[in-house]
Amino acid sequence: MAMLEPEENRKAPEHTFVLFGATGDLAKRKLYPAIYSLYRRNLFADRWLVLGVARRPHTDESFQAEIRKSIEMYGRMTITDEEDWANFVLRFHYQSVHVDSDDDFTAMNNTIISLEQKESLPGNRVFYLAMAPEFFGEAALRLKKCGLLAGSGFKRLIIEKPFGHDHASAQQLNDQLRQVFEEDQIYRIDHYLGKEMVQNIEVLRFANSIFEPIWDNRSIANVQITSSETVGVEDRAGYYEQSGALRDMVQNHILQMVMMIAMEPPSRLKTEAIRDEKVKVLRSLRRYKPEEVLEHVVHAQYSQGVNGGKEVPGYTDEPGVDKSSQTETFIAAELFIDNFRWAGVPFYIRTGKRMDTKATEIVIQFKDMPEHLYFNHNGGLGPNLLVIRVNPVEGMYLQLNAKRPGSDGSVIPVAMEFSQESDVTPEAYERLLHDTMRGDSTFFTRWDEVSLAWKFVDPLAETFRNQTDSMESYAAGSSGPLSADELLKKRGFQWWPVFGQEMPALAMEHKFARTVEGHRS
C-alpha cells in the first residue's frame, strides 16, 4: 500500500495524463489544484505531461492561463516562484475533441504520440473521464478504436461517479468498459476514500492491538455514520432529481464507510486482500424485503426553513426542481451485517441536505456498564464512544467517563482527542490521483463492490417509487425528520450529536451532558 511506503519510493512514474472534461468545474476546483500540489511535493518523475481535452476551443496558452486561475482560486498551495510555475504549467497542452468523433480521437492520438516522442516518455497513459457518465462507454470504446491504447506502457482509466443509476445500467456500463480495459486498469473514484480520516480507519483498526478484541458485537452496541450538509441542491437540480440522497450518497460514500468499519482484518495489507474483505461486508449486509423497507429506512425531503439565520426555500421551490418531485434529500436507515462479528449490532446511517450542521462523523458506541455496579447504580452512566471525524474538522476522540474535578464522585464525559491540521493535509483528489499514477487501487471501488451496493440500494428505491405517500418532510436547518429518531429509540438508542467545526473538548460537557441525560432516561 502506498501509505506504508517510504516517501522516496512514492514518486509517480513518467506518464501522460489525458483529462477529458478539462474545462469543467471538477477539473478547475479539484484536479488542477491536486496536480499542482503533487508537483510541489516532488511526487512526480522528471518527465510527465497533461493533455486537456474538451469540446470548447483553446490554445495551449489560454488553457495554461485557465489553470493558473484555478490554482489561485482553489489551490491548497499558492504560487510563489514564477520560474517554478513556468516549469509546471508548460507541461499542460490542450486539444478540442468531440466524444462522438473518430477523427478527433485519431488526431488526439497523433498529438499524444508527438508530445511523448518530444519528451521521451515511455507510453504510460492515464485517462480521466471527468465528463457526463453517459459518455463513459462511448469514450472508452473510441480510445481503443482510434489507437490510444496501443503501444508499450501501462494504460489506466479513471471514472467519476455516478457509476450507473441502478444495477442494470451499471452492469451495462461495466460491460462496455470491459471490452476495452481489464478490471485492474479501471479506477472508479470515490473521493470519500481519499479523505484522511477515512483512510485512517484502517490504521486505527489494524495498527492498535487495543481495538481488535473489542471490535465486535460483544463490546459494541451500535455504529452511527452521519454525513450532513447545510447547503441545498444549489445548481445540481438536473443531476439530483435523477439521483436523490440514496443514489448520491448511500450507494457509494456511506456504504464505503460501513465497509471500512466492519471489514475483517485482511490476510495482508495488499490491495486485493483489503478489497476482498470489504466485499464480504456487502455480501453479509441484510437485504430487506419490500414490506420491510419502511420499518428500517426513512426518506424525506426538506421543506422551507431557517438555515444559517436565513429563510431558505423547500426542495420543490428550488430552481430546476419539479414542483411534484418525490426525490428524497434525506435518508436514515438501520442496517445489519449478518456475520459472526457483527450479528445483532445495528449500523445507523443518515445523510441529508439543508441540515443544521455540516459534518461527516462516525460514532462507535460501546455497550453500557452493567447497572447497579460502581458508578452506574442508577443506570445513568453514559457509554464510551469512539468518534472519527471526517469533515470539516479531521480527527478522532475517545469519550470516557471521569470524575468532575472538586466533586464527590460526580461523573462527567471527557474526550481524549486527536485533531488533524486540515490545512496541511493533502486533499482527497491529491491522494487518489497519485495512487492511480502509481497503480495502487486500494482506495478505489472494484466492480463487485459497485454491483453489490446497487443490489442493496435498488429494492429501497423501488419501494420509494411504489409508496410515494411514505415520503416525509423536515424543516431546512433541522437535524431531519422525527421518524429518523424513532429508528434508534425502538432499540433504546439515540443519535449522538455531531460537532461540525466545534472541537469536542470545548463542547463535551455542556453538549454531551444533555445527550447523556437523554440516554439515561
Side-chain angles (χ1 to χ4, degrees):
M1 292 174 56
M3 67 180 183
L4 299 179
E5 294 178 358
E7 189 77 11
E8 61 269 17
N9 295 338
R10 298 186 61 219
K11 282 195 175 186
E14 297 176 344
H15 71 282
T16 301
F17 188 84
V18 183
L19 175 58
F20 288 78
T23 59
D25 197 53
L26 176 65
K28 292 176 181 177
R29 289 176 177 268
K30 298 294 184 181
L31 303 184
Y32 299 137
I35 294 171
Y36 183 58
S37 293
L38 290 172
Y39 168 78
R40 288 282 301 273
R41 292 169 59 202
N42 196 31
L43 290 178
F44 282 129
D46 291 337
R47 293 192 294 273
W48 56 277
L49 62 86
V50 176
L51 179 66
V53 175
R55 288 179 297 177
R56 69 183 61 174
H58 262 304
T59 63
D60 284 1
E61 291 74 20
S62 63
F63 179 51
Q64 292 165 4
E66 289 298 313
I67 293 169
R68 178 158 191 148
K69 291 178 185 177
S70 167
I71 305 300
E72 290 174 339
M73 185 170 295
Y74 303 112
R76 183 171 71 88
M77 296 184 178
T78 57
I79 301 169
T80 57
D81 184 324
E82 290 298 328
E83 184 177 346
D84 187 59
W85 169 257
N87 180 60
F88 169 77
V89 80
L90 286 175
R91 302 169 189 267
F92 286 75
H93 306 271
Y94 185 86
Q95 185 148 351
S96 178
V97 172
H98 290 73
V99 75
D100 58 352
S101 170
D102 286 353
D103 290 342
D104 284 358
F105 272 70
T106 300
M108 175 172 56
N109 186 39
N110 292 333
T111 297
I112 293 173
I113 291 172
S114 175
L115 290 169
E116 287 177 340
Q117 289 175 345
K118 181 179 178 181
E119 299 295 332
S120 300
L121 287 167
N124 297 327
R125 297 175 186 175
V126 176
F127 301 93
Y128 195 132
L129 303 187
M131 59 202 303
E134 58 264 30
F135 298 125
F136 288 171
E138 187 175 2
L141 291 170
R142 278 199 169 81
L143 288 175
K144 181 177 182 180
K145 180 180 180 182
C146 300
L148 285 104
L149 305 182
S152 60
F154 61 73
K155 306 295 186 290
R156 295 172 186 149
L157 180 73
I158 308 176
I159 54 174
E160 280 280 342
K161 79 174 186 73
F163 194 80
H165 55 82
D166 57 17
H167 185 266
S169 60
Q171 180 72 65
Q172 182 181 18
L173 174 57
N174 194 66
D175 290 345
Q176 287 180 310
L177 297 181
R178 288 302 307 274
Q179 293 179 45
V180 181
F181 293 93
E182 297 298 326
E183 174 63 31
D184 62 4
Q185 295 176 293
I186 302 171
Y187 291 70
R188 301 173 188 87
I189 201 165
D190 181 340
H191 72 272
Y192 263 58
L193 290 179
K195 291 181 178 293
E196 179 70 28
M197 292 312 300
V198 172
Q199 294 193 358
N200 218 341
I201 293 170
E202 193 173 67
V203 180
L204 178 72
R205 287 197 56 192
F206 305 133
N208 295 285
S209 61
I210 63 172
F211 287 120
E212 183 57 29
I214 60 173
W215 208 262
D216 57 26
N217 54 12
R218 292 170 294 181
S219 300
I220 292 175
N222 71 78
V223 177
Q224 300 179 19
I225 300 175
T226 298
S227 184
S228 59
E229 298 179 89
T230 55
V231 298
V233 69
E234 296 185 310
D235 59 353
R236 300 176 70 217
Y239 162 73
Y240 204 81
E241 275 285 85
Q242 302 301 316
S243 64
L246 184 64
R247 294 181 176 91
D248 186 47
M249 290 295 296
V250 175
Q251 187 271 338
N252 40 76
H253 304 325
I254 301 292
L255 288 182
Q256 285 292 331
M257 287 189 280
V258 170
M259 285 185 272
M260 295 293 285
I261 291 293
M263 64 185 280
E264 292 293 320
S267 59
R268 58 201 184 284
L269 284 179
K270 298 293 184 181
T271 296
E272 292 311 312
I274 293 167
R275 301 206 296 185
D276 287 345
E277 296 304 333
K278 289 172 62 183
V279 166
K280 289 177 185 178
V281 174
L282 288 183
R283 293 190 188 282
S284 301
L285 189 62
R286 186 183 302 175
R287 297 184 191 175
Y288 296 127
K289 299 174 183 177
E291 62 270 21
E292 297 174 324
V293 168
L294 297 181
E295 297 177 24
H296 301 279
V297 185
V298 172
H299 64 133
Q301 193 180 86
Y302 66 81
S303 58
Q304 183 180 3
V306 178
N307 196 302
K310 298 180 180 179
E311 290 277 348
V312 294
Y315 178 72
T316 54
D317 293 323
E318 297 277 18
V321 175
D322 190 322
K323 293 293 183 184
S324 60
S325 174
Q326 290 294 305
T327 300
E328 77 285 347
T329 63
F330 176 94
I331 288 284
E334 178 184 55
L335 311 181
F336 290 95
I337 298 167
D338 294 327
N339 61 21
F340 189 78
R341 180 183 293 269
W342 295 110
V345 178
F347 279 64
Y348 296 108
I349 63 172
R350 60 176 170 173
T351 181
K353 290 188 173 295
R354 287 282 189 227
M355 305 282 280
D356 55 353
T357 306
K358 174 182 172 62
T360 301
E361 295 187 4
I362 303 168
V363 180
I364 314 295
Q365 178 178 330
F366 293 94
K367 290 189 174 181
D368 292 340
M369 289 285 291
E371 291 187 24
H372 312 300
L373 288 178
Y374 305 115
F375 295 98
N376 201 26
H377 288 299
N378 61 0
L381 193 66
N384 299 129
L385 306 174
L386 174 63
V387 181
I388 301 168
R389 310 187 71 198
V390 177
N391 186 53
V393 176
E394 298 176 340
M396 67 183 79
Y397 61 90
L398 182 64
Q399 178 187 309
L400 304 173
N401 294 309
K403 177 179 172 293
R404 184 194 298 272
S407 70
D408 291 329
S410 176
V411 177
I412 60 170
V414 297
M416 295 178 61
E417 181 182 321
F418 161 72
S419 182
Q420 186 85 23
E421 292 196 27
S422 57
D423 57 335
V424 298
T425 302
E427 291 282 347
Y429 278 96
E430 198 173 319
R431 290 190 186 88
L432 296 175
L433 287 181
H434 186 230
D435 284 351
T436 306
M437 294 167 185
R438 297 178 59 257
D440 184 347
S441 57
T442 304
F443 293 107
F444 294 82
T445 54
R446 205 167 62 185
W447 164 243
D448 49 0
E449 292 178 56
V450 175
S451 175
L452 288 167
W454 277 124
K455 287 179 179 178
F456 174 76
V457 162
D458 280 353
L460 309 185
E462 184 177 3
T463 299
F464 297 163
R465 285 193 301 271
N466 294 338
Q467 301 191 37
T468 55
D469 58 348
S470 64
M471 175 73 76
E472 301 185 38
S473 66
Y474 62 100
S478 71
S479 60
L482 292 177
S483 54
D485 298 333
E486 295 300 321
L487 279 179
L488 282 73
K489 284 183 179 179
K490 66 185 180 183
R491 299 189 190 278
F493 303 128
Q494 65 181 58
W495 292 107
W496 292 97
V498 294
F499 287 101
Q501 292 281 6
E502 198 173 12
M503 300 305 292
L506 302 176
M508 181 68 70
E509 184 171 346
H510 74 267
K511 195 167 184 177
F512 261 107
R514 293 198 302 271
T515 307
V516 170
E517 284 299 325
H519 174 82
R520 291 170 181 166
S521 61

